[in-house]
Amino acid sequence: MGGGLILKDEKEKEEAEKDERVEKYIRPYLNARELIHGGIRWVLWLKNSTREDRQAPFIRKRFEEVRSAREGTSNEDRAPWLFESERQPEEDYLAIPSVFSEKRKYFLAEHESSNVVASNLLFTVEDPEGLAFSVIESSMFMAWQDLVGGRLEMRKRFSNTLVWNTFPLPKLTKEQKDRIIEGGRKVLESRALIRQKDLTASLADMYSEPAVLDPDLEKNLLKAHEALDKAVDSAFSDKPLKSEEERQRALLEMYKKMTNEK
């Protein structure tokens, strides 16, 4: 895309809003850093734009930037009002950061409206039941990430093929599934309580060590995660799992069992 469709600051957004042909196509734009640390950018989402609206001077100028950036690439002939790859969900989705600090205990994924355009630094999955969120926010899933996932410098790097698609989640009973989903719901409720007290609280703030927000609310959030961990762990082991090493052993045993059954 070359950044031509991104509005880099409020000044550019205000300029775009002066023309009603442009204003209606401005949408929030989110990448992994903003998902975790807060903040938002804006983008021109012109997938369903009309020919007439695309004649607006502001948009035509951006098209020239896009064409210049794509010149000589495999996307050179792609329409300048379209992103280089079409991957925006049409329904509300779970946003998963592709890269995050090696110090993170949890993934810090978040549900987002389909109106929010996800950058290529986010993985997205539709999650109407909340099961995907509950699984990915568990210590079990992080243990799998640490076992098979990649690295970018020292940071953890998530991959839908190497990590998500290979995660050996066993077939869940209805009771197990309901318990896991409820555990994720409690995590979300704990986050919401923090945001009720501090509207600007980012995910990074909520999980900071030492606490930078209300310590009691942060403890409540961690307790919710512990309950979620018990629910997910119980699907893999009849015995309590107390460390990442124990979880990784359970994961490898389940992976071996599931692959041998195929």
Side-chain angles (χ1 to χ4, degrees):
M1 185 170 64
L5 300 178
I6 298 174
L7 307 177
K8 66 182 181 181
D9 53 34
E10 284 297 319
K11 183 178 179 181
E12 287 192 351
K13 180 174 177 286
E14 289 172 3
E15 182 182 353
E17 289 172 334
K18 292 177 182 178
D19 190 330
E20 63 180 13
R21 292 173 296 177
V22 183
E23 182 181 20
K24 59 188 173 183
Y25 297 112
I26 299 174
R27 287 173 58 175
Y29 183 62
L30 194 65
N31 65 20
R33 178 171 179 79
E34 290 152 354
L35 176 72
I36 295 172
H37 294 278
I40 196 83
R41 287 187 293 170
W42 304 91
V43 70
L44 296 176
W45 185 251
L46 299 163
K47 179 181 177 181
N48 298 316
S49 59
T50 66
R51 182 188 297 270
E52 180 182 0
D53 288 341
R54 291 198 295 269
Q55 297 306 310
F58 186 93
I59 291 177
R60 292 178 64 183
K61 179 181 177 182
R62 292 307 176 111
F63 285 174
E64 293 307 313
E65 294 180 23
V66 173
R67 289 192 183 97
S68 178
R70 292 179 181 174
E71 188 174 355
T73 72
S74 59
N75 287 299
E76 183 173 11
D77 296 327
R78 187 167 175 79
W81 56 88
L82 298 177
F83 277 38
E84 290 181 350
S85 61
E86 181 53 60
R87 51 191 298 273
Q88 177 65 16
E90 295 184 0
E91 304 293 334
D92 293 351
Y93 61 91
L94 179 65
I96 306 166
S98 59
V99 178
F100 52 97
S101 170
E102 69 279 6
K103 298 178 182 178
R104 296 274 175 220
K105 291 178 61 179
Y106 303 106
F107 252 84
L108 308 193
E110 188 92 296
H111 288 107
E112 296 292 343
S113 164
S114 59
N115 186 60
V116 177
V117 178
S119 84
N120 59 2
L121 295 178
L122 290 175
F123 286 90
T124 64
V125 61
E126 292 183 13
D127 187 31
E129 292 183 301
L131 180 62
F133 173 84
S134 302
V135 169
I136 203 168
E137 287 298 336
S138 69
S139 292
M140 185 68 78
F141 194 84
M142 185 62 84
W144 188 246
Q145 165 71 40
D146 290 340
L147 188 64
V148 305
R151 295 276 180 172
L152 182 61
E153 299 170 344
M154 291 298 293
R155 290 172 292 169
K156 298 180 183 184
R157 187 168 191 168
F158 172 77
S159 165
N160 59 344
T161 53
L162 292 178
V163 183
W164 181 260
N165 291 346
T166 63
F167 183 65
L169 182 67
K171 186 175 181 179
L172 302 172
T173 65
K174 184 180 185 303
E175 182 181 357
Q176 288 173 324
K177 182 179 177 181
D178 289 346
R179 186 181 173 201
I180 290 171
I181 291 174
E182 179 62 19
R185 188 177 297 116
K186 292 297 184 182
V187 169
L188 290 172
E189 288 175 358
S190 297
R191 289 182 182 180
L193 286 174
I194 293 174
R195 287 200 173 107
Q196 284 179 15
K197 189 165 185 178
D198 186 345
L199 294 176
T200 65
S202 67
L203 289 174
D205 292 334
M206 295 182 194
Y207 292 86
S208 64
E209 295 182 8
V212 297
L213 301 172
D214 186 311
D216 290 333
L217 290 177
E218 288 198 29
K219 286 179 182 178
N220 184 57
L221 175 58
L222 294 179
K223 285 181 180 179
H225 271 283
E226 290 171 1
L228 172 60
D229 284 344
K230 289 180 180 178
V232 176
D233 289 352
S234 66
F236 288 81
S237 173
D238 294 332
K239 299 178 181 179
L241 301 176
K242 301 178 181 179
S243 67
E244 180 167 90
E245 291 74 18
E246 290 183 1
R247 290 188 175 96
Q248 288 176 342
R249 282 197 293 269
L251 283 160
L252 290 173
E253 289 173 6
M254 185 62 69
Y255 184 83
K256 182 178 179 180
K257 177 182 177 182
M258 294 176 70
T259 52
N260 286 340
E261 289 175 350
K262 291 182 179 181

